[in-house]
Amino acid sequence: MKKSYVLMGLVALFVVYAGWAFADSITPYVDIAEARTARGSVQVKGLLAEDMPAPQQDGKDFVFWLVDETGEKLEVRYHGTEPDQFRTAHHIVAVGSCKNGVFEAERLLIKCPSKYEKMKGGAA
C-alpha cells in the first residue's frame, strides 16, 4: 500500500514537472510593439532593416536592426556570431526578450528562400 502512494506521488511530480517544462518552452510570436512590453521570452519575425546601421559584431554579440510588417524597428542583440546566410534571409525570427529597448536574442532562426521557389514559374 505504501509503495503505491510513493509511486503515485512520483508520477504526479513527473506530470507537474513535464507540464511546467512544456509551458516554459512555448514562446509566442509577437510583433515588435508587443515584444517591447512582453514578459518572458517571445519570438519576433521580421526583415533586416536596411535603413538602419549595418549589422556588426560587437564583442561576443551580433547586433542588427529588425523591421516587422507594421514598419516598426527594433535593435536586436544576439548572443553569438552572425549566422550563415543571414544577409540573404527571407525572414529572421529572433527568440528572446526586450530589455531597456533592445531585444536580447538567445536564438535566431534564419528563413531562407527555398530552392524550389525558382521552379514555381518554370517548366514542370
Side-chain angles (χ1 to χ4, degrees):
M1 187 72 156
K2 205 175 199 184
K3 289 181 184 180
S4 63
Y5 286 130
V6 171
L7 183 60
M8 286 191 306
L10 288 174
V11 168
L13 281 174
F14 175 75
V15 168
V16 168
Y17 175 74
W20 172 78
F22 178 72
D24 191 46
S25 70
I26 296 175
T27 51
Y29 274 97
V30 298
D31 62 19
I32 288 175
E34 291 174 295
R36 286 194 169 104
T37 60
R39 293 187 177 267
S41 188
V42 294
Q43 297 184 55
V44 179
K45 181 176 117 177
L47 300 170
L48 183 62
E50 299 197 11
D51 59 340
M52 299 304 285
Q56 64 182 10
Q57 197 68 37
D58 182 18
K60 293 184 177 184
D61 293 340
F62 178 62
V63 182
F64 63 96
W65 285 81
L66 197 65
V67 60
D68 68 9
E69 293 173 348
T70 68
E72 195 157 350
K73 296 173 185 143
L74 179 66
E75 182 180 1
V76 178
R77 182 171 287 274
Y78 170 59
H79 306 298
T81 58
E82 180 177 342
D84 292 339
Q85 301 177 338
F86 176 82
R87 299 193 192 244
T88 60
H90 187 63
H91 282 99
I92 301 165
V93 177
V95 181
S97 59
C98 209
K99 295 177 185 151
N100 301 321
V102 176
F103 194 82
E104 301 284 337
E106 302 155 6
R107 289 183 312 174
L108 291 180
L109 308 172
I110 307 301
K111 311 271 183 163
C112 294
S114 170
K115 66 180 180 179
Y116 299 107
E117 285 183 15
K118 295 175 189 174
M119 292 187 234
K120 284 183 182 176

